[in-house]
Amino acid sequence: MTTWLNMSLQDGASPIMEQFIFFHDHTLMIMLMIITTVLYMMTTLIWNKHTSRFMLEGQLIETTWTIAPAIILVFIAMPSLRLLYLMDEIHNPTMTLKAVGHQWYWSYEYSDFTKLEFDSYMIPQEENQTSTFRLLDTDNRIVLPMNSPIRLVVTAADVLHSWTIPSLGVKTDATPGRLNQTSFSINHPGILYGQCSKICGANHSFMPITIESVSANHFINWVSSLS
């Protein structure tokens, strides 16, 4: 999660989020070069006193400032399209998690296991402990194995919601009567936090998402303890 005075993106907890961060830095450098060039040209035009009778006719410069933006857009579009295809592909997921948005809590179903489902509510402020985060911790955490491709199916029971985990690079709308699908894989063990990012009502900011990433053995023991 984000930390105090953090000016950049959260640390990536999935391969897709790491690629998002690389693409962000790549695009930012291109924008920085464009801004520097434009500022230099504007400063030069303001301060120079030279005049030229050929100012109104310059085919070379017109050709240059037409081709150069097209080349720059190619350098931005290619990694962007690559990321879009990586996000869309779902290769042999090891398990499926179904998330159902309600006003204002989440319900989860582990589709590969029998009767493994629960509701996840935000921990009330008066019950917060020193080890919990205000407005982010839930009474029932989603437990998932790390280094495993997870298929996520998202829907809603009442209004529009959005299942969002910033450190995973996952943001999927929960639409009533529709199943939206995405996938992710968690790189390391730990606790990941997210919230509903859709304005679904008065308490939309009070339906957080908490994922506990564990090893495969720990996950199997957790499933066995619930069955």
Side-chain angles (χ1 to χ4, degrees), residues 98-102 106 152-163 171-181 196 198 200 207:
K98 182 180 180 182
V100 183
H102 303 269
W106 292 97
L152 176 69
V153 179
V154 183
T155 186
D158 35 48
V159 298
L160 292 173
H161 299 279
S162 186
W163 200 89
K171 179 183 171 70
T172 305
D173 286 343
T175 308
R178 179 186 177 91
L179 293 177
N180 289 329
Q181 179 176 272
C196 174
K198 188 78 71 177
C200 59
M207 47 185 303

Side-chain angles (χ1 to χ4, degrees), residues 158-219:
D158 35 48
V159 298
L160 292 173
H161 299 279
S162 186
W163 200 89
T164 307
I165 301 289
S167 58
L168 291 179
V170 175
K171 179 183 171 70
T172 305
D173 286 343
T175 308
R178 179 186 177 91
L179 293 177
N180 289 329
Q181 179 176 272
T182 187
S183 65
F184 59 87
S185 177
I186 307 174
N187 285 342
H188 53 76
I191 300 176
L192 312 176
Y193 295 97
Q195 288 178 307
C196 174
S197 59
K198 188 78 71 177
I199 303 178
C200 59
N203 294 328
H204 91 98
S205 57
F206 300 99
M207 47 185 303
I209 305 160
T210 309
I211 294 180
E212 185 174 349
S213 173
V214 297
S215 64
N217 290 333
H218 192 287
F219 176 76

Side-chain angles (χ1 to χ4, degrees), residues 31-68:
M31 293 174 61
L32 184 61
M33 290 188 292
I34 293 173
I35 292 172
T36 304
T37 305
V38 171
L39 286 177
Y40 171 77
M41 295 177 66
M42 290 177 63
T43 306
T44 304
L45 289 172
I46 291 172
W47 291 105
N48 76 62
K49 305 296 182 182
H50 303 293
T51 58
S52 173
R53 63 191 181 92
F54 299 110
M55 183 67 74
L56 299 178
E57 190 171 341
Q59 283 83 4
L60 180 61
I61 188 64
E62 289 178 2
T63 304
T64 302
W65 71 42
T66 302
I67 296 176

Side-chain angles (χ1 to χ4, degrees), residues 35-130:
I35 292 172
T36 304
T37 305
V38 171
L39 286 177
Y40 171 77
M41 295 177 66
M42 290 177 63
T43 306
T44 304
L45 289 172
I46 291 172
W47 291 105
N48 76 62
K49 305 296 182 182
H50 303 293
T51 58
S52 173
R53 63 191 181 92
F54 299 110
M55 183 67 74
L56 299 178
E57 190 171 341
Q59 283 83 4
L60 180 61
I61 188 64
E62 289 178 2
T63 304
T64 302
W65 71 42
T66 302
I67 296 176
I71 296 175
I72 293 172
L73 288 175
V74 169
F75 278 97
I76 296 176
M78 295 307 292
S80 176
L81 290 173
R82 173 177 170 270
L83 259 178
L84 285 174
Y85 280 108
L86 285 175
M87 292 169 58
D88 193 53
E89 291 293 328
I90 300 178
H91 297 292
N92 300 322
T94 58
M95 60 172 294
T96 300
L97 174 69
K98 182 180 180 182
V100 183
H102 303 269
Q103 290 183 318
W104 285 274
Y105 65 96
W106 292 97
S107 296
Y108 298 102
E109 303 173 12
Y110 288 75
S111 304
D112 302 291
F113 304 95
T114 305
K115 295 182 180 180
L116 182 52
E117 56 187 48
F118 54 84
D119 297 332
S120 182
Y121 291 86
M122 185 189 74
I123 296 178
Q125 187 170 345
E126 59 273 9
E127 298 179 13
N128 278 336
Q129 302 175 358
T130 55

